[in-house]
Amino acid sequence: MALSASLHLRQSQSLVMTPQLMQSIQLLQMNHLELSHFIAQEVEKNPLLEVQSADEPTISDRDDAGPHPAETGGETDEAAGQSDLYDSAMSRSGERLSEGLDADFANVFPDDTAPQRADAPELLGQWKSMPGAGDAEGYDLDDFVASRKTLREALAEQLPFALSAASDRLIARYFIDQLDDAGYLHADLAETAETLGAAGEDVARVLHVLQQFDPPGVFARTLGECLAIQLRARNRLDPAMEALVANLELLARRDFASLKKICGVDEEDLIDMLAEIRKLDPKPGTSFETGVFEAIIPDVVVRAAPDGGWLVELNPDALPRVLVNHDYFTEISRSSRKNSGEQAFLNECLQNANWLTRSLDQRARTIMKVASEIVRQQDAFLIHGVGHLRPLNLRIVADAIKMHESTVSRVTSNKYMLTPRGLFELKYFFTVSIGSAENGDAHSAESVRHRIRTMINQESADAVLSDDDIVDVLKQAGVDIARRTVAKYREAMSIPSSVQRRREKRALAKAAGF
């Protein structure tokens, strides 16, 4: 091997991820909110981009908004003349009526006709400065509605009536700041006393006072303490209830036999106690406003077609209408021909604007292809429901539309489809395949879970199905499934075991008198 410098000419092919290609891929997997935010940033940087709202009228809409006098000719003039005659006649009749009834309101209320003599001119100026104060139809009633109180604001209003000492209020405000959205307190009393330099007895005393605030159950540190506070407020915290609240883990496991022994009650009293527990609020702080919830905007809308098929359309509310202003580019280019820097900037802006519009168009076409193929594959689901959901994976859709699986995965991420069956994420239609017991078509995992849920909901207290019984029923229906798979699906749907369900159903049946 020679250790010398040399020059070689080599030709090769490689796939280069340009910045524009990377942004196109990112656009494909953005949801509606992310895409709107991205376009707003691009419009701010690029003077050639414009975003047209869906309710903005076009040129043709503005032309059709009303008749032109030149087009209507004498008919418009004649109508205007009749309107003037009518207004003048009504004005004269109104003046005669006012004279006859002595109803000159300008003379009855002389002070109201002089705004400069108002007792509070600053309030008058504020009213006139309000949006829409000049006309009755220009204001929004939501501007005058008081905002809802937050949990901390409601507790702060009760604080002056419960604690008078400044040191106690300081401890109370510290506890209020440590509350979560559900109203639970996440603070240790010893650490709080050390942080604030207060005595431990004072901290415990202030917390006891705060736990009597409204809504009942706030400032609790555990679920049992939250329920105990509410029961104490209702005067229902007897020794049996204290024992029940102290053993909520047994209640979660539905171990009613152990609860009867611990509480020292019979089955009828235990049922009454459980009914009392169900009336309580485990999260008292959630009744207050915690934030703004955004509604999901579907990207694709599916409707029934007159010929029995399905109409797949892109939702126009989820498609941003981005336009390139070529007239503005032509006008500015004329004045910047002598400046090479400005001309290069305009050319770059035009190139980026054209690329963005093409990328958005390609994104819409790709979403349409994937959604149409999903509707074609899941036609039985749209007609009959979840029980007929077919097993589907990314490769099937990718092969059908001649695209890569990664592209289909990006399209189905955070995209939603509005169907006659409801609103679903596109990934909902991709489920695991479960084999058939009769060498037939495979079954979807979601449809199998739906069958298990339906069978358990229809069972009675005397005929509760075990996991083995569910396996036998599914095999008779042509579904080849193992017992551990049934148990996994049941636990994922938060359905208890057959033993726990039998206890609960018998207790409910006895309480109902059956």
Side-chain angles (χ1 to χ4, degrees), residues 404-417:
H404 198 268
E405 294 181 30
S406 61
T407 304
V408 179
S409 177
R410 292 186 179 94
V411 170
T412 56
S413 178
N414 298 323
K415 308 293 190 310
Y416 291 87
M417 177 186 295

Side-chain angles (χ1 to χ4, degrees), residues 7-8 18 31 41 56 255 266 308 424 428 489:
L7 184 62
H8 298 280
T18 61
N31 56 20
Q41 292 179 341
E56 183 178 350
D255 192 355
D266 55 9
F424 300 93
Y428 172 83
Y489 288 170

Side-chain angles (χ1 to χ4, degrees), residues 451-470:
R451 293 187 182 184
I452 295 174
R453 188 187 304 109
T454 303
M455 285 188 292
I456 292 177
N457 292 336
Q458 294 177 353
E459 64 185 5
S460 60
D462 299 330
V464 176
L465 299 175
S466 64
D467 293 343
D468 294 327
D469 296 336
I470 295 176

Side-chain angles (χ1 to χ4, degrees), residues 70-382:
E71 297 176 356
T72 53
E75 296 180 0
T76 305
D77 298 337
E78 182 180 356
Q82 293 177 358
S83 178
D84 294 339
L85 292 175
Y86 177 78
D87 293 339
S88 60
M90 291 297 297
S91 177
R92 289 193 299 271
S93 61
E95 293 176 356
R96 291 194 300 269
L97 183 62
S98 299
E99 294 175 357
L101 297 178
D102 192 17
D104 189 0
F105 299 104
N107 297 328
V108 176
F109 305 102
D111 294 339
D112 293 347
T113 61
Q116 64 273 12
R117 297 178 56 188
D119 295 335
E122 66 278 1
L123 297 179
L124 182 61
Q126 294 178 6
W127 166 252
K128 289 185 176 180
S129 63
M130 294 181 62
D135 54 351
E137 299 180 357
Y139 63 87
D140 189 0
L141 290 178
D142 292 337
D143 298 335
F144 305 95
V145 178
S147 60
R148 294 183 58 185
K149 296 180 182 178
T150 62
L151 176 61
R152 290 169 176 80
E153 292 175 350
L155 296 175
E157 290 180 355
Q158 305 174 51
L159 188 59
F161 302 96
L163 298 172
S164 58
S167 58
D168 293 343
R169 292 185 182 182
L170 178 63
I171 299 173
R173 292 188 182 277
Y174 180 82
F175 280 144
I176 291 176
D177 293 337
Q178 300 300 318
L179 291 178
D180 60 5
D181 294 337
Y184 284 85
L185 178 63
H186 299 281
D188 185 74
L189 298 185
E191 294 180 358
T192 302
E194 183 179 357
T195 302
L196 300 179
E201 296 80 4
D202 296 337
V203 173
R205 176 177 53 83
V206 171
L207 178 59
H208 179 69
V209 174
L210 293 177
Q211 288 180 347
Q212 302 176 12
F213 278 17
D214 188 70
V218 291
F219 293 100
R221 288 158 290 183
T222 60
L223 176 60
E225 187 177 13
C226 178
L227 300 180
I229 293 173
Q230 298 181 53
L231 290 171
R232 189 181 297 110
R234 299 185 179 191
N235 198 19
R236 287 285 296 133
L237 192 62
D238 51 15
M241 273 293 190
E242 288 184 358
L244 177 61
V245 172
N247 295 272
L248 293 178
E249 65 278 359
L250 297 178
L251 180 60
R253 296 200 301 265
R254 292 176 171 81
D255 192 355
F256 301 120
S258 301
L259 286 176
K260 288 189 294 184
K261 295 179 181 179
I262 295 175
C263 299
V265 296
D266 55 9
E267 187 173 356
E268 184 177 356
D269 291 337
L270 182 61
I271 293 175
D272 295 338
M273 294 167 62
L274 295 179
E276 189 75 20
I277 291 293
R278 289 191 182 96
K279 297 178 181 179
L280 305 179
D281 187 4
K283 296 181 179 180
T286 55
S287 59
F288 293 85
E289 185 178 9
T290 57
V292 180
F293 298 94
E294 297 290 342
I296 296 178
I297 300 178
D299 300 89
V300 182
V301 179
V302 179
R303 299 184 180 90
D307 57 354
W310 301 100
L311 293 177
V312 183
E313 301 174 346
L314 293 175
N315 186 7
D317 295 335
L319 293 176
R321 305 175 64 180
V322 180
L323 306 176
V324 182
N325 196 337
H326 293 278
D327 296 336
Y328 182 72
F329 172 77
T330 304
E331 181 180 355
I332 298 300
S333 297
R334 294 173 182 174
S335 59
S336 62
R337 290 177 180 177
K338 298 180 181 180
N339 193 329
S340 59
E342 294 181 359
Q343 190 65 32
F345 173 75
L346 288 175
N347 293 333
E348 182 181 0
C349 290
L350 181 62
Q351 181 180 0
N352 294 335
N354 291 330
W355 162 82
L356 181 59
T357 55
R358 288 195 301 268
S359 299
L360 293 176
D361 182 68
Q362 183 64 30
R363 175 182 181 272
R365 294 176 184 271
T366 306
I367 294 176
M368 188 67 178
K369 288 182 181 180
V370 174
S372 300
E373 181 61 24
I374 291 176
V375 171
R376 192 182 70 85
Q377 295 284 346
Q378 302 294 353
D379 177 72
F381 161 77
L382 297 174

